[in-house]
C-alpha cells in the first residue's frame, strides 16, 4: 500500500486524478491548488463549473487555513466530528480559488477519517478537491469497483479501501452566515449538530442551484424510480404493467423478480443504499419502486437520498 500511496501522491502533484476511499463514498481527487487539475476533474465528472467542490485535508488546522473567518462553533464541531463525515462551509481565504468554489465567497472543508484517505492526504501534503467519484447526477460509488465501472480510464489511479462504512455523502453544514444551516443531511444528524452547538440548526429548502446535491433529481439511477409509502407498495406493483425492481423492508413478493430487502436500521440501510440502487438499476427492469422509510429524524439522510434518486413526485 505504501508504494501505491506514493504513486497516488505523485499523480496528484503532476495534475492527475486519483479516486480514493473515504468513510462516506469514494472521492475523485485532484490537487485543489491547481486550476488545470481541477478543470480536468470537472470535465471527467461532467460537472457544471459553477458547482463548488469539497476540499479535503488531513487535519483541522490545514482545513481552517482555507477559511477566512473560522467561528468558534466551527472549531467546536471539528473537535467533535473531525476526522469524520462532516463538511463545513466557511468564508474562504485566498487559498480557495474561484475554480474550487465555483466563484462563491465560501468553501467546503472536510477532514475524512478513512485510513487510506488520511494516508493519501498526508503523503500529498496539500489539499485535495474531491467530489464523489461518479458522473454528475448519478449514484455515488461506495466501492473501488463502482468507480472503475463509472469512470474507467478517465481516472489515473483508483485506490482500494473496501466498501465505504457510512455509504452516503457527508453532512454539509453552512457556517458562513449569521446562523448555521444544514445543506445536506448525513450520518451526523441535525440533532447531533444541535447537541454540540446548543442552538437550533435550520434546514435549507432542497432545490438550491448552488450546490449540486441540492438539485431535485440527483444521486439517481438511470431506471425511473418512485418512492411509495409502505401501505401503497402492493397496489403500486399491481398497477404497474411494467417489469419492476423493488427496494423494500418487507418480504419479497413473488410477482417481482428483483426484490432487495433492506435493513430496518438507518445506518445499515445507508451503508447498503447505493450498491442496492446500482444493482436494481442493472436488473433490466423498466421501473424501480422504493418503499419509503419511517418519517422520523433518524431516517432523514436516507430519505433525502431516496427522494433525490426518485426525483420530484
Ligand atoms: O462525503 C462527501 O462529502 C464526498 C466525499 C468524496 O468526501 N464528497 C461529495 O462531494 O459528496 P460532491 O462534490 O459530490 O458534493 C459536494 C456538495 C455539492 O452539493 C456541492 O455543491 C456542495 O457540496 N458544496 C461544496 N462547496 C460548497 C459551498 N461553498 N457552498 C455550498 N455548497 C457547497
Ligand atoms: Mg456527488
Amino acid at each position: 500500500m505504501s508504494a501505491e500511496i506514493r504513486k497516488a501522491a505523485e499523480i496528484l502533484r503532476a495534475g492527475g486524478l486519483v479516486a480514493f476511499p473515504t468513510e462516506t463514498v469514494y472521492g475523485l481527487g485532484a490537487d485543489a491548488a491547481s486550476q488545470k487539475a481541477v478543470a480536468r476533474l470537472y470535465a471527467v465528472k461532467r460537472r457544471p463549473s459553477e458547482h463548488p467542490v469539497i476540499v479535503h485535508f488531513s487535519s483541522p488546522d490545514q482545513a481552517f487555513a482555507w477559511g477566512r473567518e473560522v467561528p468558534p462553533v466551527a472549531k467546536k464541531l471539528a473537535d467533535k466530528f473531525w476526522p469524520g463525515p462532516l463538511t463545513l462551509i466557511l468564508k474562504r481565504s485566498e487559498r480557495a480559488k474561484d475554480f474550487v468554489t465555483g466563484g462563491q465567497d465560501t468553501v467546503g472543508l472536510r477532514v475524512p477519517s478513512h485510513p487510506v484517505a488520511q494516508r493519501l492526504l498526508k503523503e500529498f501534503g496539500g489539499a485535495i478537491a474531491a467530489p464523489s467519484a461518479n458522473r454528475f447526477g448519478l449514484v455515488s460509488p461506495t466501492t473501488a469497483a463502482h468507480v472503475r465501472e463509472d469512470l474507467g480510464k478517465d481516472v489515473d489511479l483508483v485506490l482500494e479501501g473496501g466498501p465505504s462504512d457510512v455509504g452516503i455523502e457527508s453532512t454539509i453544514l453552512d457556517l458562513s452566515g449569521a446562523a448555521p444551516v444544514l445543506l445536506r443531511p448525513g450520518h451526523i444528524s441535525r440533532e447531533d449538530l444541535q447537541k454540540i452547538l446548543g442552538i437550533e440548526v435550520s434546514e435549507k429548502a432542497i432545490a438550491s442551484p448552488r450546490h449540486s446535491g441540492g438539485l431535485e433529481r440527483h444521486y439517481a439511477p438511470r431506471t425511473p424510480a418512485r418512492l411509495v409509502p409502505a401501505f401503497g407498495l402492493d397496489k403500486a406493483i399491481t398497477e404497474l404493467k411494467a417489469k419492476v425492481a423493488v427496494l423494500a423492508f418487507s418480504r419479497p413478493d413473488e410477482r417481482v423478480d428483483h426484490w432487495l430487502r433492506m435493513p430496518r436500521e438507518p445506518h445499515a440501510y445507508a451503508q447498503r443504499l447505493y450498491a442496492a440502487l446500482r444493482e436494481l438499476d442493472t436488473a433490466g427492469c423498466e421501473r424501480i419502486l422504493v418503499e419509503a422509510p419511517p418519517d422520523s429524524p433518524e431516517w432523514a439522510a436516507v430519505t433525502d437520498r431516496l427522494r433525490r434518486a426518485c426525483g420530484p413526485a
Side-chain angles (χ1 to χ4, degrees), residues 21-36:
T22 86
E23 67 280 17
T24 56
V25 299
Y26 275 65
L28 180 62
D31 179 355
S34 160
Q35 180 157 24
K36 230 173 128 186

Side-chain angles (χ1 to χ4, degrees):
M1 197 35 132
S2 296
E4 192 83 344
I5 296 278
R6 273 198 299 278
K7 190 171 145 202
E10 269 163 38
I11 291 170
L12 290 174
R13 279 185 211 111
L17 302 182
V18 173
F20 62 98
T22 86
E23 67 280 17
T24 56
V25 299
Y26 275 65
L28 180 62
D31 179 355
S34 160
Q35 180 157 24
K36 230 173 128 186
V38 174
R40 194 172 149 220
L41 176 67
Y42 275 67
V44 165
K45 244 329 256 186
R46 298 185 191 140
R47 184 176 199 160
S49 62
E50 72 277 12
H51 285 280
V53 66
I54 295 174
V55 188
H56 298 65
F57 303 86
S58 66
S59 72
D61 283 347
Q62 276 191 326
F64 288 145
W66 283 55
R68 187 167 74 241
E69 290 157 27
V70 182
V73 288
K75 298 217 162 107
K76 213 168 165 183
L77 291 170
D79 277 349
K80 175 74 184 169
F81 297 114
W82 277 354
L86 176 66
T87 296
L88 297 177
I89 309 288
L90 298 184
K91 294 221 175 75
R92 65 170 166 175
S93 74
E94 72 292 341
R95 292 186 203 216
K97 307 293 187 209
D98 280 345
F99 57 82
V100 286
T101 68
Q104 299 191 73
D105 191 35
T106 57
V107 61
L109 308 171
R110 171 155 135 72
V111 179
S113 64
H114 194 292
V116 174
Q118 274 291 333
R119 288 181 64 186
L120 176 65
L121 284 158
K122 288 206 177 93
E123 181 72 29
F124 177 60
I128 301 179
S132 50
N134 53 291
R135 306 270 186 215
F136 184 67
L138 298 177
V139 177
S140 294
T142 53
T143 67
H146 293 162
V147 178
R148 282 189 220 100
E149 281 160 29
D150 286 357
L151 301 178
K153 289 195 165 49
D154 286 347
V155 48
D156 300 311
L157 181 70
V158 182
L159 290 174
E160 179 63 64
S164 296
D165 194 38
V166 171
I168 55 173
E169 303 79 359
S170 61
T171 305
I172 303 183
L173 185 70
D174 185 352
L175 294 176
S176 69
V181 180
L182 185 69
L183 298 183
R184 182 170 72 185
H187 181 83
I188 294 172
S189 70
R190 185 170 163 231
E191 291 70 27
D192 294 335
L193 296 169
Q194 289 179 159
K195 214 180 286 166
I196 299 302
L197 294 174
I199 51 167
E200 173 114 2
V201 170
S202 62
E203 270 173 285
K204 190 142 163 219
I206 47 169
S208 156
R210 266 319 202 177
H211 62 112
S212 57
L215 296 178
E216 273 188 37
R217 189 171 156 85
H218 203 74
Y219 313 114
R222 289 183 171 86
T223 314
R226 202 169 94 206
L227 202 55
V228 284
F231 64 82
L233 191 58
D234 186 68
K235 189 158 164 267
I237 294 167
T238 312
E239 281 173 4
L240 265 182
K241 299 276 178 282
K243 194 170 170 212
V244 294
V246 174
L247 193 67
F249 296 104
S250 39
R251 234 174 287 147
D253 179 317
E254 71 221 357
R255 293 170 295 171
V256 175
D257 292 329
H258 294 279
W259 185 291
L260 281 185
R261 205 169 170 194
M262 296 296 279
R264 287 191 186 270
E265 193 283 313
H267 298 312
Y269 190 113
Q271 203 171 48
R272 287 174 51 182
L273 175 60
Y274 288 147
L277 286 176
R278 280 165 186 268
E279 187 181 330
L280 295 184
D281 204 17
T282 53
C285 294
E286 292 153 76
R287 286 298 172 85
I288 296 173
L289 292 177
V290 180
E291 181 181 347
D295 183 18
S296 59
E298 64 272 21
W299 286 95
V302 163
T303 302
D304 169 78
R305 299 313 188 278
L306 289 175
R307 286 210 181 111
R308 288 167 206 282
C310 296

